[in-house]
Amino acid sequence: MFGYYIALALRSLRTTPILSALMVAAIAVGVGAAMTTLTLNYMMSRNALAHKDDVLYAMQLDNWAPDRGWQSPNEMPWEINYKDAISLLHSDIPTYQVAMHRWGGPLSREDSELRPYSAEARVTSRDFFALFDVPFIYGGSWSSDADSNPVYQIVLSQQTNEKLFNGENSVGRTVNFNGAPFTVVGVTEYWQPSPKVHDLNNGNFKKSAEVFLPFGLHRSFEIYSWGNTNGWKGEVIDSYETHLGSEYVWIQYWVQLDSAQQLEDYRDYLTGFIRQQKAQGRFPRPLKFGLSRPSQWLQLNEVVEDDDYMLNWLSLAFLLVCLVNAVALLLAKFLRKASEAGVRRALGANRRAIFTQHLVESGCIGLAGGLVGIFLTTATLALMRQLQMGALDSVAAMDWLMMSAAIGLAILSSLLAGLYPAWRISRTNPSIYLKTQ
Amino acid sequence: MLELRPILSALWQSKTAALLIALQLMLTLTIVSNAALFIHNRQEKIARPTGMAEKDILAVNFSALAKNYEMPAAVDADLALIRSIPSVIEATHSHKIPLSGSGESLSLFLEPNANKGGFSASYFYVGAGVTEALGMELIAGRDFKATDVQVGDHTSRNTLNAVIVTQQFARQLYPDAHAVGKYLYTGNNNQPIKIIGIVARNLGPHLHQAMAGNTVFFPQLMVVDGSASMTYLVRSEPGQLQEVFNQLEGKLRVRDPQRIISLRTLEAYKKRSYRADNTTIEVLATVITLLATIIALGILGLTSFWVSQRRKQIGVRRALGASRRAIARYFLIENLMVAGTGIALGLAAAQLANKVLVMYFNQPALPLPLLLGCALILLVISLGAALSPALRAANISPALATRSV
């Protein structure tokens, strides 16, 4: 019976090609608009660290001004200062802990034709790779003394290793970074979380670092962060050492706490740490620190902005208009064929059969609309990638889940749209149409 | 004259379809007016003058490969080279690039040794001739001279002694008085910094911040140990930027090959900073266009259907003496009544939706003229869509009445 309904539906659609095309177009455009914004929002709200969401924590300390908090939702700065980071790194409670910030500089290989280029770097303590689950192709992280002493070791990303060494095992080789020779100790696999949950102050969807450097290098290069540096005290910085000892915040800090006991211990540890600092006249605000899981961290940092949510609602309203449009057109179309339905009813088809037949016809329109809608979505996303000049490349793309969602949405919405017209036609009295023939 | 009663009773016969059209128009007006408001605001934001001649300005950035780079000498040589190009008006060095989204800010105080009650401003460490190099309008005081510029780094704030501020910032500091010749302090510090010039406007590095336009310039060549990187801002004669661009890259590379050089126009930085706004505008404009098209096609389809359903009645009316014009008018008035109802409802719904947007999404309030403008345009579109089926109805022959009964 279902096959017969489909054959009937196709024949009926062919008899009114323009009306059918209009309906397919309306649903396709509605689905296209809705799916474009839904895809963007879905990709933006992904959590690359979801598999470790219950053990990783982004840490914040409230060392801000006595008279005002920081302008974030929880009134704490996103980053901490250097001296606190160095003290906290000594704790043995977390399984892993990472102090890090963005940096960069010219990168080159001594005996190579390759022109030096500016590389995006991450200066970090050694647990970075273990904490964020960054796998190595070759080698591994530097030794732990590199986090407190100047050790000229470097970890390359897969792309950087491809560029400099054609993808060979480069462990033990030398590269030049910022005018100094560094020994390669490891090469990571391709790693590009999107959004960049580990580094949300430097563009949520930008490329992740091309090289990784140990945390013990600050004094030898007088490294200033390429990320944000913020202060409230107006401290006079007359040397690099005062910069390191100042209240300026510029270090991102993460910890991995595997058990509830560890979490509790670490909370106690941080409370104790802040109390101790308060005794020395620091941390003028009420005692407060933050430990946010990756999912909470993404929300706190408002990766998906108000504008995005608004576009989401807008496109759903848009889909609604398209649906109402489709309902009106379907109604017109079905009523025009009411006499056919009348004949079928007179020949013994019950209301339910008429209803199902027309609903199948709506479903066919929905399927066609969904397919065209996917095409439209892909085209719109491509246009967006172009308009955003690379900033959204990792976000403006459909995966299989979103594609099936698009078809599902189209069929569901056209069935919804077909519900009333099909019901209406199934209620018509056959005798009227038989009389006028 | 206007056949209102028959129209109403005919509409009552197909009330669901009429209601659906009205509903569509209501939703469309709600979306379109709020989207138009959104576009309007973004366009206004993008159209703000930056205070600079960004179309004629090039930002040249380089990073030297050597760890101990002789920066001051290199800057002197580079600037001399850049200024020697005929179509260059002026060039200067800067530690950050305006409009790029990357910058720094600080608090400035009216009293020495203060740490409360400061005024926030974005700052640039720049060289001599910055006003000229950025094409800013100097409205009081003077530009930086070579003798004003000190060599320093992040730690040299306590030796700064001159500053150029924007008019917007000067008015915040001294609402009633002339700011030139007054002194500012960087906080916890008693080093007086004299305001030596005021420029009309400069949006600074961050275009999206509420404080954009609070911008100050300090005369300092920023030399950071361990990171030998520098930016030049170069202004060309109007329209000559491409020419300067082409020459500069090669000349700088020849002068010192041991560095990475990148050139980009300030216009490109501006465009990149506004790309999210531009995308939103394009998306919304597409949505509006598509909605208008869909609604027009829907009305066209439904009116055609009504016309074809009533062919016989139209034939009878024509046979009874109704003119073509009367038939066309009938369908247009019918459409007007349906569309008018939808749009009237839409006026209320749009206001309501806007209230929600204002409350939860930080959007501005919807001005009435914009709403009425959108309503009028929608009305015209729906009438236009009904026009062709109405004219086709008018062409139905009276002879039809006599046939096929």
Side-chain angles (χ1 to χ4, degrees), chain B residues 199-220:
Chain B
V199 290
R201 192 176 168 84
N202 188 300
L203 281 186
H206 302 292
L207 292 166
H208 306 292
Q209 282 182 353
M211 67 169 226
N214 282 5
T215 312
V216 303
F217 300 89
F218 295 118
Q220 173 170 300

Side-chain angles (χ1 to χ4, degrees), chain A residues 69-341:
Chain A
W70 172 257
Q71 62 271 26
S72 69
N74 64 6
E75 296 209 320
M76 284 186 279
W78 303 120
E79 299 162 302
I80 67 172
N81 59 38
Y82 181 82
K83 59 182 173 189
D84 289 339
I86 292 294
S87 313
L88 294 177
L89 277 174
H90 287 119
S91 164
D92 53 5
I93 301 167
T95 314
Y96 299 118
Q97 52 192 337
V98 172
M100 60 182 180
H101 64 86
R102 180 181 172 223
W103 196 40
L107 177 68
S108 62
R109 201 184 121 192
E110 200 87 311
D111 43 352
S112 147
E113 296 286 290
L114 191 77
R115 276 249 297 267
Y117 66 98
S118 191
E120 179 87 10
R122 182 140 290 267
V123 179
T124 169
S125 55
R126 74 182 298 268
D127 288 347
F128 179 89
F129 310 96
L131 188 142
F132 291 114
D133 253 355
V134 187
F136 280 91
I137 306 178
Y138 307 117
S141 191
W142 44 80
S143 56
S144 52
D145 68 319
D147 286 341
S148 39
N149 301 302
V151 176
Y152 284 41
Q153 293 181 339
I154 194 167
V155 167
L156 309 180
S157 75
Q158 184 234 335
Q159 299 98 304
T160 310
N161 190 52
E162 200 67 47
K163 235 188 241 179
L164 291 180
F165 295 102
N166 290 322
E168 296 163 25
N169 184 351
S170 57
V171 172
R173 309 274 291 267
T174 303
V175 296
N176 272 318
F177 185 72
N178 257 310
F182 280 81
T183 310
V184 178
V185 292
V187 177
T188 68
E189 271 179 28
Y190 177 80
W191 187 70
Q192 177 65 62
S194 169
K196 234 170 43 176
V197 50
H198 65 290
D199 175 31
L200 292 175
N201 352 61
N202 298 306
N204 301 336
F205 305 104
K206 290 205 171 137
K207 289 213 170 68
S208 63
E210 300 172 278
V211 298
F212 301 86
L213 300 156
F215 205 67
L217 293 167
H218 283 99
R219 286 181 177 85
S220 1
F221 284 85
E222 301 207 343
I223 299 174
Y224 286 93
S225 167
W226 278 24
N228 298 338
T229 304
N230 292 291
W232 55 272
K233 242 181 151 180
E235 288 154 285
V236 179
I237 305 295
D238 51 16
S239 70
Y240 188 69
E241 213 50 50
T242 30
H243 176 63
L244 293 186
S246 72
E247 291 290 347
Y248 280 98
V249 295
W250 48 283
I251 309 251
Q252 302 157 327
Y253 205 96
W254 284 77
V255 289
Q256 175 169 338
L257 303 166
D258 287 318
S259 65
Q261 185 59 45
Q262 256 178 316
L263 177 60
E264 200 178 312
D265 288 352
Y266 199 62
R267 283 181 187 283
D268 291 345
Y269 169 77
L270 286 180
T271 311
F273 175 77
I274 297 176
R275 286 231 172 90
Q276 191 190 333
Q277 297 300 316
K278 273 180 173 294
Q280 295 169 24
R282 295 185 55 222
F283 287 86
R285 295 176 61 73
L287 194 153
K288 190 176 171 190
F289 57 85
L291 289 172
S292 313
R293 295 173 171 200
S295 51
Q296 298 166 327
W297 191 239
L298 287 164
Q299 244 168 39
L300 206 58
N301 279 272
E302 290 170 355
V303 172
V304 185
E305 293 168 36
D306 273 0
D307 270 14
D308 302 317
Y309 284 118
M310 205 201 66
L311 281 180
N312 228 354
W313 287 112
L314 184 78
S315 64
L316 286 178
F318 183 81
L319 178 63
L320 189 64
V321 175
C322 293
L323 279 189
V324 173
N325 193 299
V327 174
L329 292 174
L330 270 176
L331 191 65
K333 184 172 162 49
F334 287 174
L335 284 180
R336 182 185 269 181
K337 296 187 316 167
S339 57
E340 281 176 36

Side-chain angles (χ1 to χ4, degrees), chain B residues 40-56:
Chain B
H40 176 71
N41 285 319
R42 294 302 160 105
Q43 277 173 337
E44 258 183 0
K45 179 179 166 196
I46 295 176
R48 281 179 306 176
T50 63
M52 291 171 277
E54 70 267 10
K55 285 197 168 58
D56 303 319

Side-chain angles (χ1 to χ4, degrees), chain B residues 271-283:
Chain B
K271 218 172 140 189
R272 211 176 61 160
S273 287
Y274 282 132
R275 67 188 163 194
D277 300 280
N278 275 318
T279 309
T280 315
I281 288 179
E282 307 240 350
V283 168

